[in-house]
Amino acid sequence: DAGVIQSPRHEVTEMGQEVTLRCKPISGHDYLFWYRQTMMRGLELLIYFNNNVPIDDSGMPEDRFSAKMPNASFSTLKIQPSEPRDSAVYFCASWGGNSPLHFGNGTRLTVT
Amino acid sequence: RKEVEQDPGPFNVPEGATVAFNCTYSNSASQSFFWYRQDCRKEPKLLMSVYSSGNEDGRFTAQLNRASQYISLLIRDSKLSDSATYLCVVNFGPSGNTGKLIFGQGTTLQVKP
């Protein structure tokens, strides 16, 4: 199994631009999570899905952030417009209930 | 109060020392708990689950105290390779056992020769 696959690994963009982060979960896992990690705030849960349905998006910072999961093998996290304070490492993770939570390698986002 | 709280450290210990980390959580209904390890600039990885009766994996021991709502991790005979950030994870999902996995801020351990 290839594990959780995220793309891109690094993203550098200018303030105001749209950013789209992508995630392919482990096949068979029915939960998908998006986390954001910064030195100041640690690992924050943004949103999670169960069977492609968003269950809890209370961690999404504001309306500039949106996430979708059109099918069991793909999810996106979009930031529009991006701001410098969005700079962080964004992790996608998937979970199959009886298995551990598996993380992707993360996307390091820098907004200038 | 934060949902999951940890002492960020850093804990600086010599090789061979025993070190313990605690983590408190706010949801009395939580049913599943984990310790994850994160190395610098890497993704977190599961170290061990935490069971009600406590559990051990080699030099690592995890314990749960439901009454006081905390979990602990004990590392015996620490090695240089144990240097990392240790994150506790608590399930805040409906019924305390599905979905909403919340991480603590992490405790940094530095083991010195």
Side-chain angles (χ1 to χ4, degrees), chain B residues 72-98:
Chain B
S72 64
L73 176 68
L74 183 78
I75 305 175
R76 291 181 300 278
D77 188 24
S78 50
K79 313 288 186 193
L80 296 175
S81 57
D82 294 333
S83 298
T85 297
Y86 291 84
L87 301 153
C88 73
V89 188
V90 179
N91 197 322
F92 277 68
S95 78
N97 201 27
T98 52

Side-chain angles (χ1 to χ4, degrees), chain A residues 33 35 37 40 56 101 104, chain B residues 36 38 43 99-101 105:
Chain A
F33 302 79
Y35 288 90
Q37 188 171 39
M40 288 297 295
D56 188 326
L101 184 65
Chain B
Y36 273 69
Q38 186 174 25
E43 74 276 19
K100 193 170 183 179
L101 295 168
Q105 185 119 358

Side-chain angles (χ1 to χ4, degrees), chain A residues 4 6 21 23 33-37 43-44 46 77 89-93 103-108, chain B residues 38 41-44:
Chain A
V4 177
Q6 289 187 249
L21 312 181
C23 175
F33 302 79
W34 283 100
Y35 288 90
R36 175 174 71 174
Q37 188 171 39
L43 203 61
E44 301 173 278
L46 301 178
L77 178 67
V89 179
Y90 290 80
F91 285 106
C92 174
F103 282 81
N105 290 331
T107 295
R108 186 171 296 274
Chain B
Q38 186 174 25
R41 302 180 82 85
K42 299 278 193 179
E43 74 276 19

Side-chain angles (χ1 to χ4, degrees), chain A residues 73-108:
Chain A
S73 58
F74 184 66
S75 177
T76 59
L77 178 67
K78 188 173 291 188
I79 309 172
Q80 167 63 18
S82 58
E83 296 182 4
R85 60 193 166 120
D86 301 331
S87 298
V89 179
Y90 290 80
F91 285 106
C92 174
S94 71
W95 186 49
N98 287 328
S99 65
L101 184 65
H102 286 274
F103 282 81
N105 290 331
T107 295
R108 186 171 296 274

